[in-house]
Amino acid sequence: MVDPARGAGLRDIENEYKRKFLVVIDDTPECDRAVTFAAHRVKRTGGTVVLLSVIDSADFQQFLGVEEVMRAEAREEAERLLDVRIARIAAIGGDVRTETVIREGDPLQEIERLIAEDPGIAILVLAASTSNEGPGPLVTAFASRSGGGAPPILVTIVPGSMTDEQVIAVT
């Protein structure tokens, strides 16, 4: 026999919990596939799309003397890429909540650090590259890890070759 009080409590918890979908933002064409998937999924199920842009600080260490200028330019580019993706999400639905994060450092480490800091992040959404060189460094890194080295969240890999219509159909 089902305890109605327990069932109601479970529904309350499910209604209060709004998971976050983490999408790594860069200038690759497949990034839009990941944004489209996450935004449509949030539109259907609720939650938030967290857009993370990581500025790779290794690039600055090669050019002493112009490091601060390069850092400022990289931040401006990160903000521009985030603005483009926010506009894309707004076109999908004004009710899709977003958060933006800009980090500096190694992309893989910064993704893992953000996941560790924000317990609401439940799903990492990546899109695979269509290039002949493989699916991309982040997809390769997260898809090949298991066990204790993997972050404790789901990883969704969207094929970069999918159209918006195909992505929407599976959300």
Side-chain angles (χ1 to χ4, degrees), residues 21-109:
F21 291 75
L22 176 59
V23 181
V24 180
I25 302 302
D26 57 25
D27 61 353
T28 61
E30 59 270 9
C31 179
D32 283 337
R33 302 287 72 76
V35 169
T36 298
F37 178 87
H40 279 279
R41 193 74 184 133
V42 165
K43 184 176 180 180
R44 284 186 153 177
T45 64
T48 302
V49 178
V50 178
L51 305 171
L52 170 64
S53 182
V54 181
I55 300 167
D56 193 344
S57 59
D59 295 339
F60 308 139
Q61 296 168 358
Q62 300 174 33
F63 303 100
L64 295 175
V66 293
E67 180 177 343
E68 290 307 313
V69 171
M70 291 178 71
R71 182 173 276 113
E73 290 173 352
R75 182 158 187 93
E76 285 176 19
E77 177 63 8
E79 290 171 354
R80 185 190 68 76
L81 290 171
L82 288 169
D83 288 344
V84 167
R85 288 351 189 277
I86 290 170
R88 182 176 181 84
I89 292 170
I92 290 169
D95 56 340
V96 177
R97 292 181 28 183
T98 60
E99 294 178 9
T100 60
V101 179
I102 298 176
R103 296 280 179 100
E104 185 178 316
D106 174 72
L108 189 58
Q109 290 176 353

Side-chain angles (χ1 to χ4, degrees), residues 100-134:
T100 60
V101 179
I102 298 176
R103 296 280 179 100
E104 185 178 316
D106 174 72
L108 189 58
Q109 290 176 353
E110 292 306 320
I111 293 166
E112 290 176 340
R113 189 171 288 130
L114 180 58
I115 291 168
E117 292 170 3
D118 188 341
I121 296 175
I123 300 172
L124 171 61
V125 181
L126 300 171
S129 172
T130 58
S131 122
N132 293 336
E133 298 174 12

Side-chain angles (χ1 to χ4, degrees), residues 152-163:
I153 63 169
L154 296 173
V155 178
T156 299
I157 300 173
V158 180
S161 60
M162 290 179 80
T163 65

